């Protein structure tokens, strides 16, 4: 069962229950864009119909697989150099979007040096 991130308490629970994804490794990434439509000679793009699913093996919590699903993507970037995730940050930005990064958060400019997602919603679950 997925758990949605809608409050600061939800973020705290996510970080506590996933051990901040410490010693995590990206197993899979799936991007879906159902928001592209054709209107005559124009293409329309609806970012609210985008979805990104991350599957992360977290060895620090007995090899559990955490699945994170983001919807309504504004920006995202995944960098995987086969090294482990040491920490994770999750917060709401000034536009009330959810921001996830695979590093400690310093500022929005530094975010570009990490894997990150900025989206309208985030939910997660333990799959294995």
């Amino acid at each position: 069962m997925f758990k949605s991130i809608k409050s600061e308490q939800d973020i705290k629970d996510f970080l506590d229950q996933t051990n901040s994804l410490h010693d995590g490794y990206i197993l899979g990434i799936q991007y879906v864009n159902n928001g592209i439509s054709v209107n005559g000679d124009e293409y329309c793009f609806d970012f609210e119909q985008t979805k990104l699913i991350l599957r992360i093996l977290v060895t620090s919590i007995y090899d559990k697989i955490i699945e994170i699903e983001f919807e309504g993507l504004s920006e995202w970037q995944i960098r995987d150099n086969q090294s482990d995730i040491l920490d994770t940050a999750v917060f709401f930005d000034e536009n009330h979007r959810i921001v996830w990064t695979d590093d400690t958060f310093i500022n929005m400019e530094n975010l570009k040096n990490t894997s990150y997602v900025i989206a309208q919603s985030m939910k997660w679950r333990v799959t294995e």
Side-chain angles (χ1 to χ4, degrees):
M1 182 170 94
F2 278 100
K3 299 175 186 178
S4 293
I5 304 290
K6 295 184 185 258
S7 68
E8 295 297 330
Q9 184 61 48
D10 294 337
I11 291 171
K12 182 181 179 325
D13 292 345
F14 167 75
L15 295 174
D16 288 346
Q17 293 175 33
T18 63
N19 195 30
S20 296
L21 303 177
H22 180 74
D23 289 337
Y25 300 90
I26 295 174
L27 295 177
I29 302 163
Q30 180 182 8
Y31 173 73
V32 178
N33 186 343
N34 291 320
I36 300 174
S37 60
V38 180
N39 185 6
D41 291 337
E42 294 181 0
Y43 291 91
C44 301
F45 300 91
D46 182 358
F47 79 93
E48 290 183 2
Q49 294 185 43
T50 56
K51 182 186 296 188
L52 182 70
I53 300 168
L54 303 178
R55 294 186 72 236
I56 300 171
L57 170 68
V58 184
T59 61
S60 66
I61 52 174
Y62 308 106
D63 296 339
K64 298 285 186 196
I65 296 176
I66 307 299
E67 187 172 275
I68 307 171
E69 186 174 302
F70 301 93
E71 291 184 308
L73 301 166
S74 295
E75 281 184 52
W76 66 281
Q77 167 178 275
I78 302 299
R79 294 177 177 252
D80 185 22
N81 58 5
Q82 301 299 308
S83 63
D84 56 334
I85 297 171
L86 299 177
D87 201 359
T88 235
V90 180
F91 59 93
F92 296 102
D93 71 4
E94 66 278 356
N95 296 317
H96 309 290
R97 298 173 299 183
I98 191 88
V99 179
W100 170 86
T101 179
D102 69 349
D103 201 354
T104 54
F105 179 74
I106 298 171
N107 59 45
M108 291 303 277
E109 188 60 36
N110 187 59
L111 197 63
K112 308 293 185 191
N113 298 323
T114 68
S115 291
Y116 71 94
V117 179
I118 303 173
Q120 294 298 313
S121 68
M122 173 183 167
K123 58 186 179 181
W124 68 279
R125 67 180 176 177
V126 177
T127 62
E128 297 176 23

